[in-house]
Amino acid sequence: MTQFQPASFPIARPRRLRQSPALRRLVRETRLSAEQLVLPLFVRPGRKIRQPVGAMPGVFQLSVDELIKEAVAAQTVGVNAVLLFGIPEKKDSLGTGAYAKNGIVQRAVRELKKEIPDLLVITDVCLCEFTSHGHCGMIHSTRYGKTVANDSTLKLLAATAVSHAEAGADLVAPSDMMDGRVAAIRSALDQKGFLEMPIMSYAAKFASAFYGPFRDAAESAPKFGDRRTYQMDAANGDEAIREVALDVHEGADMVMVKPGIACLDIVWRVKEAFQLPTAVYAVSGEYSMVKAAAANGWIDERAVTMESLLAMRRAGADILITYAAADAAKWLAEG
Ligand code: PBG
């Protein structure tokens, strides 16, 4: 029988720091807080409307009065910011509802800022909810078929951002993925005197199947084709860095990566490369998958949601945009 021989050097024992909840809390590297959360909300015309979105349990299309209630409830549990999407009464080929002075988003912003001035109101700047064809800009024909015309769309996006600023938005977030949109929006805002209006660009936005349920929520599914001529190919990481670099060069104050859980490598690279406030959008499909599995009793909704948000923070995200923001804030308060 050989005798137990202590190793000449002690074996590594990382488990020492995992022995009790207090020890684990002490050495925790990444933390979540409600202040980092942004809640996306959908606003539509009407009164007393709270229309459930089929593919997104717990998400509603809200009339302005109901939107205020929802925003107050979110703020009460600690959510700091909302991101607004609008569903207009009428759609047309130029998406005029997006930049109408009295459009649905503009009205919602005015009411929100009047009722809850300290809640940060971010507006999504895009045309797809407002165009009859469901694309993010004006359509033209090319030798490859019909697609969104880049430069003529820039004017409409700039007009949209300015109209949101005039309504009192705190921050504008262009999500269209046209080339040059940040520069166009920046210069239009500056010309109108909104020099201090920050831009959070959806800088690395992939053409993702995870957006499926959103198009149901925002009634913005493209009527023909897809968004692959403007949103990025999911295979491309280096290109994402180039896209973000362009937006930063054009004046983006904050950048966003989207979708979330499928893009944590991009989040990491973007934060490393630019050290800007970096947001990640946990998109509709991510939310719906958790909801569906939880409804079947297959996963623990709270644990999976919080682990996913933590993973985004660990990857480098400063700001987390999630449909679960109010739930997450509540769970954080419960400890
Ligand atoms: C508008 C926009 C979309 C999302 C955010 N802004 C839809 C799209 O690009 O098709 C997706 C959000 C989500 O899936 O939760 N362009």
Side-chain angles (χ1 to χ4, degrees):
M1 287 288 272
T2 49
Q3 279 248 286
F4 173 71
Q5 287 283 329
S8 52
F9 53 89
I11 67 165
R13 293 192 185 275
R15 289 186 57 198
R16 279 187 196 124
L17 301 183
R18 295 180 201 146
Q19 295 181 91
S20 74
L23 259 174
R24 291 194 294 274
R25 274 199 295 275
L26 187 69
V27 300
R28 191 158 289 153
E29 297 171 32
T30 311
R31 287 171 214 276
L32 273 177
S33 88
E35 290 159 358
Q36 298 153 341
L37 302 171
V38 178
L39 176 66
L41 291 172
F42 298 96
V43 62
R44 62 168 308 140
R47 270 185 57 76
K48 291 199 162 61
I49 295 174
R50 229 184 133 72
Q51 185 162 330
V53 175
M56 301 176 74
V59 175
F60 301 85
Q61 292 183 351
L62 304 162
S63 52
V64 175
D65 50 329
E66 291 292 324
L67 177 84
I68 304 286
K69 286 188 211 161
E70 194 85 355
V72 168
Q75 196 191 32
T76 306
V77 294
V79 172
N80 196 31
V82 295
L83 170 60
L84 276 191
F85 295 94
I87 301 110
E89 203 118 42
K90 286 198 306 275
K91 304 189 187 222
D92 56 41
S93 64
L94 295 180
T96 49
Y99 38 93
K101 199 173 167 55
N102 219 14
I104 184 60
V105 170
Q106 292 78 358
R107 271 185 280 151
V109 171
R110 271 188 229 112
E111 285 299 310
L112 277 170
K113 291 312 295 183
K114 193 168 85 195
E115 300 294 326
I116 338 174
D118 53 342
L119 179 75
L120 199 81
V121 176
I122 309 172
T123 54
D124 183 89
V125 175
C126 196
L127 300 179
C128 59
E129 297 111 56
F130 302 90
T131 51
S132 42
H133 43 72
H135 279 284
C136 302
M138 281 171 67
I139 301 299
H140 72 167
S141 289
T142 73
R143 61 189 173 132
Y144 297 112
K146 284 197 290 181
T147 187
V148 175
N150 196 84
D151 294 16
S152 40
T153 295
L154 296 181
K155 295 186 199 75
L156 307 185
L157 293 166
T160 304
V162 167
S163 73
H164 293 176
E166 285 168 346
D170 294 295
L171 216 160
V172 291
S175 70
D176 52 283
M177 289 298 280
M178 295 304 119
D179 296 333
R181 80 274 171 68
V182 174
I185 289 170
R186 182 73 272 156
S187 85
L189 286 171
D190 290 354
Q191 272 169 37
K192 294 281 183 178
F194 295 106
L195 285 106
E196 305 299 336
M197 170 65 68
I199 299 175
M200 171 166 74
S201 73
Y202 287 66
K205 177 172 177 180
F206 289 89
S208 169
F210 286 100
Y211 308 156
F214 172 94
R215 297 181 185 163
D216 181 15
E219 301 177 10
S220 64
K223 295 283 192 300
F224 64 89
D226 55 35
R227 304 209 201 287
R228 288 174 193 278
T229 68
Y230 41 108
Q231 299 178 352
M232 288 180 39
D233 186 332
N236 297 352
D238 292 345
E239 188 193 357
I241 304 303
R242 295 198 298 274
E243 276 282 6
V244 177
L246 286 172
D247 285 10
V248 173
H249 180 70
E250 292 175 27
D253 304 284
M254 300 157 83
V255 292
M256 193 203 297
V257 174
K258 180 180 172 214
I261 216 77
C263 291
L264 298 186
D265 57 324
I266 310 293
V267 176
W268 178 261
R269 290 175 67 177
V270 167
K271 184 67 184 178
E272 287 277 296
F274 303 99
Q275 286 106 39
L276 276 176
T278 302
V280 58
Y281 198 145
V283 299
S284 55
E286 302 177 52
Y287 174 85
S288 300
M289 287 194 301
V290 175
K291 283 285 183 187
N296 277 292
W298 295 336
I299 56 166
D300 177 334
E301 178 180 353
R302 172 175 171 165
V304 168
T305 300
M306 297 311 260
E307 184 180 326
S308 304
L309 293 174
L310 193 68
M312 294 172 206
R313 290 273 299 134
R314 197 184 62 230
D318 305 294
I319 299 153
L320 307 169
I321 305 170
T322 169
Y323 300 96
D327 286 336
K330 245 178 274 167
W331 294 330
L332 284 167
E334 285 166 19

